[in-house]
Amino acid sequence: MRSLVSKSLRATLLTLTLVLVVAAASPITSLSAQAPGEISIVCENETAPGIYNNAVSLVTQDGYIGIPDGNTVYMWGYALDVDIDLVAPGVQYGFQHPGPTLCFTEGQAVTITLTNLGFSQLPSLTDAVSIIFPGQTGVTHDDGTPGLFTGEADSGGGTVTYSFTASLPGTFIYGSGTDPQKQVQMGLFGAIIVRPTLGPNFLYNWTSTQFNPANDYMMLLSEIDPDLHWAVEQGLPYDITLFHPRYWLINGRSFPDTIAPNDAEWLPTQPYGALLHIEPFDAASSAFNYSAVRFLNVGMRNHPMHPHGDHIQVVGRDGRPLQGPLGEDLSYAEFGPVIGAGQTKDTLYNWEEIQLGPSGSLGLPTDIFEALNQFLLRPRDQNIMWGEWFSGSPYLGQTTDRPTGVTAQGECGEYYQIWHSHALHEAANYESGFGGMITLERIDPPGGCPP
Amino acid sequence: MRPDLTDGHTVHFHGFPNAVPAFDGVPELSVGVPYGRSYTYYYRPHDPGTYKYHCHFEDIEHVSFGMTGIVFIRPAADDKWAYNDSSTAFDREFALLLGEVWTQERWEGAHIQEHDWSDYDPDYWTINGRVYPDTLEPNSDPMTTPAIPRLQYQPISSLITCNSNDKVLLRFSNLGFQRQAMRVDGLTLRVIGKDAKFLGPLAYDTDTVDISAGETFDVLFTAPTVTTPTTYLLYNRKLAYLNNGGLPGLGGQMTEIRVSPSGVPAQGEPNT
């Protein structure tokens, strides 16, 4: 149902959305042609394949992110400082949302130095900042100013250095421990991934958690109340008890931006995509084609995610493997993974063709019009509702001609499935549906789309 | 009621393993079914358990408006087992589909007004489309007028009746947008399945089943031995939701489990 009241507004939004969708989908290429880092997790402190810098310098910054309904939101963020000497307080430097994804290898001695460069968009702000590391053990800090949660970096270039040993493999959140009800909402958070000694293609020191390192994904969930951000931007008071989110994000983006590749140039401050791009599970293949999907929730609400396609297998929670004291397998499968506030879940996922069988085995011709006998009127292009991502065939790797005038996002008959919050009002950008906490899963035919 | 509406619709079989997009019901990723047309969904049932189905066309609205239902896949081993495991045997089964009604939005929908889903704020909480005490009324037929005429189009009862020592299966499914906490005082609930997967050694006992949007749970209890008819309440521990639109008295997501010493006939259909 669509109301007539705001038809022109809706038309504008729809146009905007379509433009973004077209732009978002077009750079995605086949698996074989996919550049490293185009999708899946980017470890910002990786200096060589599998080698992670254990001395990380972060700075504070601020900037704006875009929402597909046309809005922009003022945010704060951690930014990677590759050369602190080049940076002075008040200089815009590398703002990104969310903060840089940091990876370590189990057992690495980690130091993270935070320098409070203030906020260049609003230099009048004098907030101290800090970082806490939930799930890590033995975190210490030196210098800095004592704070309630941890040591803090004062405004005007103050620094604080945190140290810990990355002793536990898994997926973790880091975020502000200063005025956190405001600062975390403003965007001071990010993800830490600790790879086990068993190997970077395992989630834990547990052989059952092996995955294909080309398919290592994160879904960092957050929510935004634009009133809070407006109040901070305008120097106005904000009552956190009235917190009322209007936007719901994955990896700092709202659908359809979530399916754009990493570092999409039209999303300059939101570098992390959330598209899953896989091939079907093949038991006979020597390639190990489970994907790792790491959920993190930095928000204040639980988010009941729903992966279409198949169940996920939850093998770890909050950076702890789901194993009993004797190594018993306590992992479980679900199609309704709820990610609690501050929680992480490490999961394995694959998709296997078990529904249709070989082409024709259900008696379905490849032409969906003939196969399903659903559109009785001809010409067939009239009065149909054809999804842009639909190949036209039930079968993977097959296509049919799209109806005239339908935008086609597909490449070679690949499948697209949706993953989204099943608190369905969160699958929206404000009041505009098919947005928000949604991403897509792309399943290519075996071997990927031809180049 | 609104003949001006020409919405398309779909069916999404929520949780069916390894669905293919053409039969998964997401219109943006397949096809929507236009007004006046038909479409056939094909699938092979694979894993037994409790699923659900709902429209995925403009899903916030179409799900909230009630285009929802429960699906069971029965195990090959036995129709009276929840899964292919004898520990999941039951005598009676009851499907309990949780939902919510936001009357402001429903009024606006009926009166051609815009509404903002980010203001989502329901004021009724339902089991099988009814609120307490309507949940206790018997099943009815939407084609005929029942004893309570206003329940004609809410035909599914949530009254749970059984005999002493019966094994009773509760199939919970939540297609509201909120997290609920369904509780029974005085009985032990054994959670044997989640999201159509047998929990096996991970099965656990509780008195409260937390159910978020989009989840399903299969729960067994064994009725106690009683000498007189005994009633247990099944209710949402989110006590504010035991209410009908702010009016005095109890309502919302609550029903009764009535255990008889004997004499309740064998169950033919679920929810009877």
Side-chain angles (χ1 to χ4, degrees), chain A residues 11 42 51 53 154 197 207 216 233 259 287 309 334 364 379 401 440:
Chain A
V42 175
I51 306 299
N53 179 12
D154 286 330
T197 50
T207 52
D216 188 3
E233 191 175 4
I259 63 170
E334 55 183 347
L364 302 180
D401 293 338
L440 298 182

Side-chain angles (χ1 to χ4, degrees), chain A residues 1 10 244 246 306 308-311 334-336 351-352 354-356 361 374 383 385 387 389 417 422, chain B residues 2 5 7 12 14 18-19 24 27-28 30-32 38 43-44 46 54 58 61 114 118-119 194-195:
Chain A
M1 178 173 63
R10 280 190 178 278
H244 190 142
R246 308 289 184 173
H306 176 50
H308 284 224
D310 200 10
H311 293 65
E334 55 183 347
F335 58 62
W351 187 92
E352 187 174 9
I354 60 170
Q355 276 290 336
L356 300 179
S361 72
Q374 80 282 37
N383 186 21
M385 292 171 168
W389 284 272
Q417 295 278 23
H422 222 279
Chain B
R2 281 283 308 275
L5 293 178
D7 287 39
H12 167 56
H14 181 115
N18 298 281
D24 195 47
E28 294 85 356
S30 55
V31 291
S38 68
Y43 58 90
R44 296 173 204 265
H46 276 274
H54 62 83
E58 296 179 7
E61 180 178 82
E114 190 67 54
S118 71
D119 281 331
K194 168 174 167 33
D195 296 344

Side-chain angles (χ1 to χ4, degrees), chain A residues 272-304:
Chain A
Y272 300 143
L275 178 79
L276 278 69
H277 191 170
I278 65 173
E279 292 180 13
F281 181 78
D282 176 9
S285 167
S286 58
F288 201 88
N289 51 9
Y290 280 92
S291 299
V293 185
R294 305 165 185 266
F295 292 93
L296 309 91
N297 182 355
V298 299
M300 299 194 282
R301 303 284 167 85
N302 292 1
H303 295 294

Side-chain angles (χ1 to χ4, degrees), chain A residues 240-256:
Chain A
I240 194 69
T241 66
L242 301 179
F243 181 72
H244 190 142
R246 308 289 184 173
Y247 297 116
W248 296 269
L249 283 64
I250 305 176
N251 296 346
R253 297 178 181 178
S254 196
F255 184 83

Side-chain angles (χ1 to χ4, degrees), chain A residues 67 86 101 142 166 207 219 298-299 324 331 351 375 397 424 426 443 446:
Chain A
I67 307 290
L86 296 179
T101 303
D142 51 26
T207 52
M219 296 205 184
V298 299
S331 70
W351 187 92
F375 299 127
L424 293 173
E426 299 181 344
I443 304 167

Side-chain angles (χ1 to χ4, degrees), chain B residues 71-139:
Chain B
V71 193
F72 317 153
I73 304 297
R74 297 208 183 278
D78 193 314
D79 274 1
K80 286 285 192 181
W81 295 1
Y83 293 94
N84 282 310
D85 191 287
S86 60
S87 70
T88 66
F90 59 86
D91 299 301
R92 302 172 189 278
E93 63 182 331
F94 296 86
L96 301 165
L97 177 61
L98 309 181
E100 297 141 17
V101 178
W102 180 23
T103 50
Q104 175 195 330
E105 163 267 327
R106 218 57 58 91
W107 189 93
E108 289 167 342
H111 294 81
I112 323 181
Q113 297 296 305
E114 190 67 54
H115 38 258
D116 182 346
W117 288 103
S118 71
D119 281 331
Y120 186 72
D121 188 19
D123 40 13
Y124 289 87
W125 291 267
T126 62
I127 307 176
N128 292 329
R130 298 178 179 178
V131 293
Y132 180 85
D134 291 346
T135 48
L136 307 179
E137 293 299 317
N139 292 306

Side-chain angles (χ1 to χ4, degrees), chain A residues 75-78 97-98 130-132 134 149 173-190 220-224 228-229 240 243 297-300 342:
Chain A
M75 304 291 295
W76 296 355
Y78 298 114
H97 177 72
S130 63
I131 307 176
I132 57 172
F149 282 79
I173 290 165
Y174 70 94
S176 174
T178 304
D179 219 358
Q181 81 285 3
K182 177 176 81 173
Q183 294 200 356
V184 173
Q185 283 300 315
M186 288 303 292
L188 288 174
F189 53 75
L220 186 152
L221 312 178
S222 63
E223 65 254 2
I224 286 177
L228 166 60
H229 298 253
I240 194 69
F243 181 72
N297 182 355
V298 299
M300 299 194 282

